[in-house]
Amino acid sequence: MLPSGIKVNTHDAEERPGMGGMGKETKIARVLIAISVVFGLFAVATLLAIVIGGLPARPGIFPAGALLLAAVKTAGIGFGLAAYRTIGRGDLARAGRYALVAGFLPPLDLIALFAGLLVIFPHGEEGAG
């Protein structure tokens, strides 16, 4: 039993470790990373369809190049998933680095780049004053 007059903050006890203070920008970045991963999956599926021959390739696109691009984009998807999971754990600096790597891998993913920058650079009212 607690002595009368001591209050227990149950809200902090319900959060996962490392999730304290997950701000609005962090939540937006997490959604943007999820959107980037979904778009990346569509891009890989399209590139693989070009390789297999189900979709006609534009002149100048070789199946080997499309396969190589699909492999690199798959690595970018992996980094995007790692960034998504790392944000959930609360390690924002590492999640931002993962998102930046996912964004810079070809083809350039501006959504992941923006999400990585949103997570890495601090936002909030603590600097306004």
Side-chain angles (χ1 to χ4, degrees), residues 49-72:
I50 289 172
V51 170
I52 293 171
L55 290 176
R58 293 176 44 183
I61 296 180
F62 299 106
L67 186 62
L68 180 63
L69 193 58
V72 172

Side-chain angles (χ1 to χ4, degrees), residues 22-101:
M22 184 181 225
K24 178 174 52 171
E25 293 88 5
T26 306
K27 291 177 185 177
I28 291 171
R30 193 168 188 199
V31 169
L32 288 175
I33 290 171
I35 290 170
S36 171
V37 167
V38 169
F39 282 159
L41 289 172
F42 285 134
V44 168
T46 303
L47 289 168
L48 290 178
I50 289 172
V51 170
I52 293 171
L55 290 176
R58 293 176 44 183
I61 296 180
F62 299 106
L67 186 62
L68 180 63
L69 193 58
V72 172
K73 187 61 185 172
T74 302
I77 291 170
F79 276 106
L81 289 172
Y84 184 83
R85 292 199 54 184
T86 308
I87 285 177
R89 292 185 190 134
D91 190 359
L92 299 181
R94 180 176 288 171
R97 288 191 301 265
Y98 285 153
L100 288 177
V101 170

